[in-house]
Amino acid sequence: MNVRIAEDWRQILEPEFSKPYFENLVSFVKQQYAAGTVYPKGSNIFRAFDKCPFESLKVVIIGQDPYHGEGQANGLCFSVGDGVPFPPSLQNIFKEVCDDTGAQMPTSGNLDRWAEQGVLLLNAVLTVRAHEAASHAGQGWETFTDAVVRAIANRKSGVVYMLWGNYAQRKGAIADATNNLILKSVHPSPLSVYRGFFGCKHFSRANEYLVSIGKEPIVW
């Protein structure tokens, strides 16, 4: 099956593309795009992989599904395009970055700048119907992104996994804590952020770890 994804990731994930679940998923997604408004736009479904080559991957951040508001989702979890107001979770992420690292509040919520430094911003579900959160859950995306996490865990060590909330922690459970850095906290949503996301210092801790193993830190 011809899947438009970065070539290095294609070579790793190729076995998934011929499995029955993935063929069913593709049929479902095509039908959904034909029937109504779905985010992100089709060319951005696999953008997280396009922006973060496997060879340069240093950090994995796991989200649930794309933003479902108009103009928000751009294919990277928690990220929005230039000029788009920060959704609450992203606002809270930036607040923690600033408090943790001393960085200034960014002017754009576009996280391409993170991805291009080796941060894979992976949603568990890669598409969503407009204004219907989790509307594409349970259709096969979770199986695919489980395979992504497994492929990383099997091929790379020295990776930082940022697992925010129970959902991300379950998905990232395959990662081995003995040769990676596993950082866990509650989700940065307004409902939970004060129960341990603020003050978690994941961004400075990630950089300390990367430097300790001879890698360049991330400019958050």
Side-chain angles (χ1 to χ4, degrees):
M1 180 173 292
N2 183 27
V3 177
R4 295 178 184 175
I5 192 170
E7 186 57 34
D8 56 345
W9 285 102
R10 174 190 301 282
Q11 293 175 16
I12 293 165
L13 300 172
E14 190 79 52
E16 299 302 307
F17 300 150
S18 59
K19 291 181 180 178
Y21 88 85
F22 196 86
E23 294 177 357
N24 292 338
L25 172 62
V26 169
S27 296
F28 168 78
V29 170
K30 286 181 176 178
Q31 182 273 327
Q32 290 287 294
Y33 274 92
T37 302
V38 174
Y39 299 126
K41 65 181 182 180
S43 60
N44 283 346
I45 292 174
F46 295 105
R47 191 163 174 270
F49 303 95
D50 299 337
K51 300 300 289 184
C52 179
F54 183 81
E55 185 62 31
S56 64
L57 187 152
K58 302 175 187 175
V59 179
V60 177
I61 299 177
I62 297 176
Q64 287 190 248
D65 65 343
Y67 295 125
H68 52 82
E70 183 177 356
Q72 291 183 310
N74 69 357
L76 310 181
C77 73
F78 296 109
S79 177
V80 294
D82 294 330
V84 177
F86 302 164
S89 291
L90 182 58
Q91 179 78 32
N92 290 336
I93 290 168
F94 285 156
K95 185 177 187 305
E96 176 60 20
V97 169
C98 294
D99 291 347
D100 182 18
T101 69
Q104 297 294 309
M105 181 65 70
T107 57
S108 173
N110 189 336
L111 300 182
D112 284 11
R113 59 186 183 274
W114 291 7
E116 290 163 359
Q117 296 177 80
V119 182
L120 180 66
L121 293 149
L122 179 67
N123 274 316
V125 176
L126 300 187
T127 54
V128 67
R129 281 195 300 273
H131 313 300
E132 295 183 51
S135 51
H136 286 185
Q139 298 293 333
W141 279 129
E142 296 92 339
T143 303
F144 173 70
T145 51
D146 279 350
V148 173
V149 176
R150 192 178 307 112
I152 296 168
N154 288 343
R155 288 170 171 80
K156 271 188 177 284
S157 60
V159 175
V160 180
Y161 292 83
M162 294 186 177
L163 307 177
W164 301 333
N166 291 334
Y167 187 92
Q169 289 168 24
R170 288 193 298 269
K171 198 162 191 72
I174 190 172
D176 185 354
T178 62
N179 55 9
N180 300 284
L181 178 63
I182 314 297
L183 299 174
K184 299 179 181 180
S185 81
V186 297
H187 194 275
S189 78
L191 296 175
S192 58
V193 70
Y194 287 99
R195 292 191 278 112
F197 184 80
F198 284 155
C200 68
K201 299 189 179 300
H202 281 186
F203 303 96
S204 61
R205 290 170 65 188
N207 278 350
E208 288 166 3
Y209 176 76
L210 292 172
V211 170
S212 77
I213 58 173
K215 295 183 179 181
E216 285 291 319
I218 305 297
V219 179
W220 300 108

